């Protein structure tokens, strides 16, 4: 999960600037501010413009299913968003670098393997069901080939690792949007907390 660390003194200072000195109401106001910011500002930004600028969107439900919010409470003044599915190597796309695998990676040849909302057509493990056995060749250290027209055509190449470019500006957008949202939402939430405490 990605979080933003905040100096509590800044919250107290802002409350005092507003003429509010009810320290016992600060935890509620801060927690409400964090949750509002994550749900209404940060998550919509990440699953919308941030995601769409990084990836070719084939499955519009993937971002919404992947990016979830961990809520704050008065006892735990921290909140953030996290990858709930762990399927799309989002952390690696956010930093760039090598992707390793416990076995061998089968990297699709995009000229022959179609990428779409549900993944790939065909999947490497499905080739033996879709291609006649006599036409299928698995060459160790190279890849999976299909014989057609008297030639072998590469479908998947084998690799122990793959290099992923930094393309998903998750951390940058998270920090920028959360800081802006917290600053904008806190004054109304501290006023609401004090008003509620005094029954107004």
């Amino acid at each position: 999960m990605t979080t933003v660390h905040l100096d509590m003194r800044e919250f107290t200072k802002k409350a005092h600037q507003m003429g509010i000195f009810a320290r016992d109401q600060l935890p509620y106001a801060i927690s409400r501010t964090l949750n509002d910011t994550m749900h209404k500002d940060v998550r919509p930004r990440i699953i919308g413009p941030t995601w769409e600028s990084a990836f070719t969107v084939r499955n519009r439900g993937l971002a919404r299913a992947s990016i979830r919010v961990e809520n704050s409470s008065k006892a735990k003044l921290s909140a953030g968003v996290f990858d709930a599915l762990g399927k799309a190597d989002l952390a690696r796309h956010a930093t760039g670098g090598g992707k390793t695998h416990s076995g061998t990676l089968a990297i699709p040849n995009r000229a022959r393997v179609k990428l779409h909302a549900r993944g790939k057509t065909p999947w490497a493990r499905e080739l033996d069901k879709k291609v006649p056995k006599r036409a299928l060749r698995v060459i160790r250290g190279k890849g999976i080939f299909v014989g057609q027209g008297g030639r072998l055509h590469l479908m998947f190449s084998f690799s122990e690792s793959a290099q992923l470019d930094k393309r998903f500006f998750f951390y940058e957008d998270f920090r920028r949007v959360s800081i802006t949202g917290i600053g904008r939402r806190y004054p109304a939430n501290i006023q609401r907390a004090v008003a509620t405490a005094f029954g107004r």
Side-chain angles (χ1 to χ4, degrees), residues 105-145:
L105 291 169
I107 301 172
N109 175 6
R110 295 199 177 188
R112 293 189 166 269
V113 178
K114 181 180 178 182
L115 303 182
H116 53 78
R118 295 184 179 180
K120 298 180 276 287
T121 302
W123 288 87
R125 61 178 176 268
E126 295 176 343
L127 279 174
D128 59 345
K129 297 176 184 177
K130 295 179 178 292
V131 177
K133 203 166 191 178
R134 65 181 181 277
L136 190 62
R137 297 287 186 275
V138 179
I139 301 176
R140 188 173 181 179
K142 292 187 176 182
I144 303 172
F145 296 80

Side-chain angles (χ1 to χ4, degrees), residues 5-200:
H5 299 283
L6 304 165
D7 189 340
M8 297 293 289
R9 291 172 298 183
E10 291 299 315
F11 286 95
T12 303
K13 179 180 176 182
K14 183 65 176 179
H16 288 175
Q17 288 173 352
M18 297 168 62
I20 296 171
F21 298 89
R23 286 180 175 271
D24 59 329
Q25 295 305 310
L26 287 177
Y28 171 82
I30 294 170
S31 179
R32 177 71 181 267
T33 298
L34 292 174
N35 290 338
D36 285 350
T37 300
M38 293 302 128
H39 283 282
K40 298 177 182 179
D41 299 319
V42 175
R43 184 171 180 267
R45 171 70 198 191
I46 297 298
I47 68 175
T50 305
W51 187 283
E52 291 165 5
S53 66
F55 308 112
T56 299
V57 180
R58 297 184 179 90
N59 180 351
R60 295 199 172 274
L62 180 59
R64 192 172 297 277
S66 294
I67 305 300
R68 303 288 179 86
V69 173
E70 181 169 317
N71 289 312
S72 170
S73 68
K74 290 192 293 184
K76 181 183 73 71
L77 294 177
S78 66
V81 296
F82 63 99
D83 176 12
L85 299 181
K87 288 185 175 181
D89 290 302
L90 296 182
R92 190 66 66 191
H93 281 300
T95 59
K99 171 187 175 182
T100 58
H101 194 264
S102 57
T104 299
L105 291 169
I107 301 172
N109 175 6
R110 295 199 177 188
R112 293 189 166 269
V113 178
K114 181 180 178 182
L115 303 182
H116 53 78
R118 295 184 179 180
K120 298 180 276 287
T121 302
W123 288 87
R125 61 178 176 268
E126 295 176 343
L127 279 174
D128 59 345
K129 297 176 184 177
K130 295 179 178 292
V131 177
K133 203 166 191 178
R134 65 181 181 277
L136 190 62
R137 297 287 186 275
V138 179
I139 301 176
R140 188 173 181 179
K142 292 187 176 182
I144 303 172
F145 296 80
V146 171
Q148 189 177 38
R151 298 181 60 187
L152 287 178
H153 300 276
L154 177 68
M155 298 293 288
F156 292 86
S157 58
F158 291 153
S159 177
E160 298 301 320
S161 64
Q163 190 71 22
L164 298 180
D165 295 332
K166 177 181 172 62
R167 59 195 297 182
F168 185 38
F169 290 94
F170 173 87
Y171 297 110
E172 294 84 351
D173 284 0
F174 177 91
R175 178 176 176 79
R176 176 176 55 79
V177 175
S178 61
I179 290 175
T180 300
I182 289 167
R184 185 177 71 254
R185 294 182 181 280
Y186 178 65
N189 280 326
I190 186 63
Q191 287 180 331
R192 187 180 297 115
V194 173
T196 300
F198 288 95
R200 288 183 284 175

